[in-house]
């Protein structure tokens, strides 16, 4: 927790509302992540998850506050931060290879055609699309399109991968396979990843840390839940782990009731010291920042089944 | 298989319709034998039309024979009022081509600028709104007065009439490029210039080409009227001249050729549009 590879420092986002007023999507939002970690953000629709991700990507500027990545305040987009878009955002007039090569040649401007192609091909192979290089996006299934999106993001060897509900439009089977692929690739390469999701199981499978956001407008980051499941967890036997249901219930509880009531129930919530919840270690909930001590117990006891 | 049989059947129906049309045309215009007696002077004055009951309207056979004559010698030139149809069409196509290409050179870059800049878009909008509905021929006197050359004036009229659909479609296409494609370019740190050519141009190309296709159609409509006004050469002048000569046969032939050339121009642009259209 001392290593803050990504640090979101007190950002706010406001939009002008009808009648000269302003709507605050969120304000004074603090969040940090060490290098090599996989974080998921969960929260209800409209709470501002996409806005946070876009600010992190540099596609959107915060109304207040700053984002520090690798010790430097960001200004605008960067090839260090790759985005996997929810709608895959492939260029439909380019082939699979063309889409990946576009990213590669954008990063390495001086590379010749053959080198760009070879590099792009490596990443197409990595996501299992060998043989489909010359297909256009319109000829691909939803899952294959998202694979191209992943290959494109990985091909520029970014420091951070940002994913906005990348699998939400896919069927369960495809989603499962792609989750496996993403997890494998991120573990192999030590990739730092920040992902928004609606799917609690997806978060439990992929994330090291899960950020819970309350409902907007005026959303706050309520808790950081540490994933107690072992690193070598498998997608299909997640539910066999003794702490799985405790973790899952904690998150579902939050989504069902506490995301609504949190702000009124916890008026003394300090957005700079968001409580860290460690499922399975009762009485050991520690504040996010190093200078803070333990504050409260977790909401769910271990081993509780649904 | 069903589509090919549909095409075959449609072809058969087309031929039947054409034959029926030619047949009715032929029956409606054939000679009805010598008509009632009239004084020889009057008969001489009226010519064959009146004396033999022949309709003033030429029949398909007359038109076909005359067309054959034209096709045998498309490029003869016997002075200002007697040139081959190929030459006249050539003049018209050259004027349309020049005016149209000039319009492309202005409309597409300008449309790009307007489409990419909300400020320019708002600032130029009132001008475009006023200029767009003006009939291109209304510019003719002004063009003749300032340019003092009838041929260049006709080109100017083509330019002014073909610029609007292209300009508006380019603006529309450029401004409507999906945000997510722009965001892809932004996250890849692609510069403005490269972004314009690698994302905006291909994304907007189908819309731009549609505008170009509308423009070529309008330009071909307008050239005939413009050449009737400025005179001298061109298929529009030919129509007017043959009307003055009371040669309805030549007028009909010109109408037919105007239609065919217009169709070809449209097909060429349609082919280009298909080339840049991408399935999503
Ligand atoms: N351009 C905008 N103008 C006004 N309000 C916006 C705009 N973009 C987003 N919002 C508002 O910001 C809030 C957060 O949006 P978003 O980040 O997309 O939510 P999420 O991704 O969590 O569903 C929403 O309530 C939305 O209405
Ligand atoms: Mg969203």
């Amino acid at each position: 927790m001392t290593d803050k590879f990504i640090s979101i420092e007190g950002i706010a986002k406001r939009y002008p509302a009808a009648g000269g007023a302003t709507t605050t999507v969120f304000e004074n939002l603090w969040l940090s992540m060490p290098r090599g970690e996989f974080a998921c953000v969960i929260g209800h629709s409209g709470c501002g998850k996409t806005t946070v991700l876009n600010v992190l990507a540099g596609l959107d500027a915060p109304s207040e506050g700053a984002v520090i990545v690798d010790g430097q305040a960001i200004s605008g987009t960067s090839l260090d931060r790759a985005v996997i878009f929810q709608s895959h955002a492939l260029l439909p007039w380019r082939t699979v290879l063309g889409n990946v090569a576009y990213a590669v040649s954008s990063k390495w401007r001086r590379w010749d055609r053959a080198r760009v192609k070879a590099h792009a091909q490596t990443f197409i192979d990595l996501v299992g699309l060998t043989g489909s290089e010359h297909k256009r996006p319109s000829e691909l299934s939803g899952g294959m399109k998202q694979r191209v999106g992943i290959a494109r993001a990985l091909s520029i060897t970014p420091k951070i991968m940002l994913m906005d509900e990348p699998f939400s439009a896919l069927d369960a089977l495809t989603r499962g396979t792609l989750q496996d692929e993403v997890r494998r690739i991120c573990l192999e390469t030590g990739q730092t990843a920040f992902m928004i999701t609606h799917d609690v199981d997806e978060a439990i499978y992929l994330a090291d840390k899960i950020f819970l956001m309350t409902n907007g407008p005026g959303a706050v980051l309520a808790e950081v839940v540490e994933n107690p499941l072992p690193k070598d967890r498998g997608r299909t036997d997640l539910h066999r782990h003794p702490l799985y249901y405790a973790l899952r219930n904690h998150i579902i509880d939050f989504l069902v009731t506490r995301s609504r009531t949190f702000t009124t129930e916890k008026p003394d919530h300090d957005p700079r010291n968001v409580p860290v919840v460690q499922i399975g270690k009762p009485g050991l909930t520690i504040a996010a920042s190093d200078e803070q001590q333990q504050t409260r117990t977790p909401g769910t006891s271990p081993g509780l089944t649904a | 298989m069903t589509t090919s049989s549909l095409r075959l059947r449609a072809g058969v129906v087309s031929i039947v319709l054409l034959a029926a049309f030619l047949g009715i045309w032929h029956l409606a215009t054939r000679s009805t034998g010598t008509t009632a007696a009239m004084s020889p002077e009057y008969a001489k004055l009226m010519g064959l039309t009146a004396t033999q009951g022949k309709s003033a309207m030429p029949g398909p056979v007359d038109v076909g024979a005359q067309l054959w004559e034209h096709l045998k010698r498309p490029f003869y030139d016997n002075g200002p009022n007697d040139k081959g149809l190929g030459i006249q069409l050539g003049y018209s196509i050259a004027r349309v081509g020049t005016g149209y290409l000039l319009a492309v050179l202005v409309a597409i870059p300008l449309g790009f600028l307007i489409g990419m800049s909300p400020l320019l878009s708002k600032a130029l909008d009132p001008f475009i709104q006023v200029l767009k509905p003006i009939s291109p021929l209304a510019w003719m006197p002004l063009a003749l007065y300032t340019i003092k050359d009838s041929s260049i004036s006709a080109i100017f009229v083509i330019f002014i009439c073909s610029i609007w659909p292209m300009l508006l479609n380019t603006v529309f296409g450029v401004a409507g490029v999906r945000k997510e494609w722009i965001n892809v370019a932004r996250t890849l740190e692609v510069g403005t210039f490269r972004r314009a050519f690698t994302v905006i141009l291909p994304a907007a190309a189908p819309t731009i080409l549609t505008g170009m296709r509308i423009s070529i159609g309008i330009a071909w409509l307008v050239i005939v009227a413009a050449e009737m006004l400025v005179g001298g050469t061109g298929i529009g002048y030919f129509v007017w001249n043959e009307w003055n000569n009371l040669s309805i046969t030549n007028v009909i032939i010109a109408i037919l050729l105007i239609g065919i050339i217009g169709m070809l121009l449209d097909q060429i642009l349609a082919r280009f549009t298909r080339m840049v259209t991408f399935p999503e």
Side-chain angles (χ1 to χ4, degrees), chain A residues 66-85:
Chain A
V67 176
I68 318 285
V69 171
D70 208 5
Q72 279 206 318
I74 64 162
S75 60
T77 55
S78 157
L79 283 157
D80 289 339
R81 283 167 273 129
V83 183
I84 297 177
F85 298 87

Side-chain angles (χ1 to χ4, degrees), chain B residues 152-226:
Chain B
I152 298 178
S153 296
I155 290 169
F156 173 77
V157 167
I158 294 304
F159 168 81
I160 208 86
C161 78
S162 38
I163 200 164
W164 307 117
M166 281 195 259
L167 184 66
L168 293 175
N169 267 46
T170 306
V171 171
F172 185 72
V174 168
V177 174
R178 286 229 216 124
K179 191 99 193 284
E180 55 185 52
W181 296 335
I182 305 277
N183 280 346
V184 167
R186 284 177 64 200
T187 57
L188 295 175
E189 291 187 54
V190 173
T192 318
F193 202 68
R194 185 158 176 255
R195 192 194 305 174
F197 279 95
T198 56
V199 177
I200 298 174
L201 186 62
T207 319
I208 296 174
L209 261 293
T210 304
M212 291 175 68
R213 191 173 165 192
I214 298 170
S215 281
I216 198 79
I218 294 178
W220 190 244
L221 288 180
V222 166
I223 192 64
V224 175

Side-chain angles (χ1 to χ4, degrees), chain A residues 59-300:
Chain A
L59 289 167
D60 204 350
S63 314
E64 271 167 33
V67 176
I68 318 285
V69 171
D70 208 5
Q72 279 206 318
I74 64 162
S75 60
T77 55
S78 157
L79 283 157
D80 289 339
R81 283 167 273 129
V83 183
I84 297 177
F85 298 87
Q86 179 175 12
S87 53
H88 59 76
L90 300 180
L91 306 178
W93 54 89
R94 285 175 176 267
T95 60
V96 168
L97 185 64
N99 268 283
V100 180
Y102 185 62
V104 175
S105 62
S106 298
K107 171 134 186 179
W108 295 282
R109 308 263 156 103
R110 272 187 278 281
W111 281 13
D112 58 47
R113 217 174 253 269
R115 192 155 176 211
V116 166
K117 194 176 162 216
H119 186 88
Q121 185 68 49
T122 320
F123 286 87
I124 292 171
D125 297 344
L126 185 71
V127 298
L129 281 179
T130 319
S132 301
E133 297 83 359
H134 301 292
K135 291 203 174 117
R136 305 221 169 238
S138 59
E139 302 168 74
L140 303 178
S141 68
M144 290 165 92
K145 283 182 201 162
Q146 204 49 278
R147 280 171 196 266
V148 183
I150 295 169
R152 178 172 65 185
L154 289 169
S155 71
I156 55 171
T157 57
K159 289 182 184 166
I160 304 168
M161 289 241 280
L162 303 169
M163 300 173 252
D164 189 353
E165 306 189 25
F167 311 134
S168 63
L170 306 177
D171 63 279
L173 211 64
T174 317
R175 182 158 62 225
T177 346
L178 282 185
Q179 284 167 356
D180 290 342
E181 302 264 341
V182 164
R183 183 164 166 78
R184 175 179 61 83
I185 292 165
C186 284
L187 283 178
E188 276 171 13
T189 57
Q191 189 63 248
T192 311
F194 182 91
M195 175 163 144
I196 295 172
T197 177
H198 263 124
D199 181 342
V200 176
D201 279 328
E202 180 168 277
I204 294 176
Y205 177 46
L206 293 175
D208 302 314
K209 245 188 231 153
I210 300 162
F211 296 105
L212 301 180
M213 276 179 83
T214 64
N215 295 356
V220 300
L221 176 59
E223 283 176 1
V224 182
V225 180
E226 283 190 357
N227 193 339
L229 271 56
K231 269 272 179 201
D232 63 349
R233 54 189 178 258
R235 184 168 50 84
T236 46
D237 52 14
L238 272 186
H239 62 283
R240 295 215 179 84
H241 193 271
L243 290 176
Y244 168 76
Y245 283 106
L247 174 62
R248 188 166 199 276
N249 288 345
H250 183 81
I251 299 170
I252 302 244
D253 251 10
F254 178 85
L255 286 177
V256 174
T257 51
R258 292 202 298 127
S259 61
R260 238 183 322 114
T261 57
F262 185 86
T263 29
T264 44
E265 275 175 13
K266 296 266 181 308
D268 58 343
H269 178 71
D270 180 2
R272 288 195 70 159
N273 295 300
V274 178
V276 176
V277 177
Q278 293 179 311
I279 306 285
K281 296 182 190 167
L284 220 133
T285 306
I286 316 160
S289 84
D290 346 55
E291 65 266 20
Q292 285 279 317
Q293 56 314 91
Q294 57 191 68
T295 48
R296 60 182 205 88
T297 47
T300 341

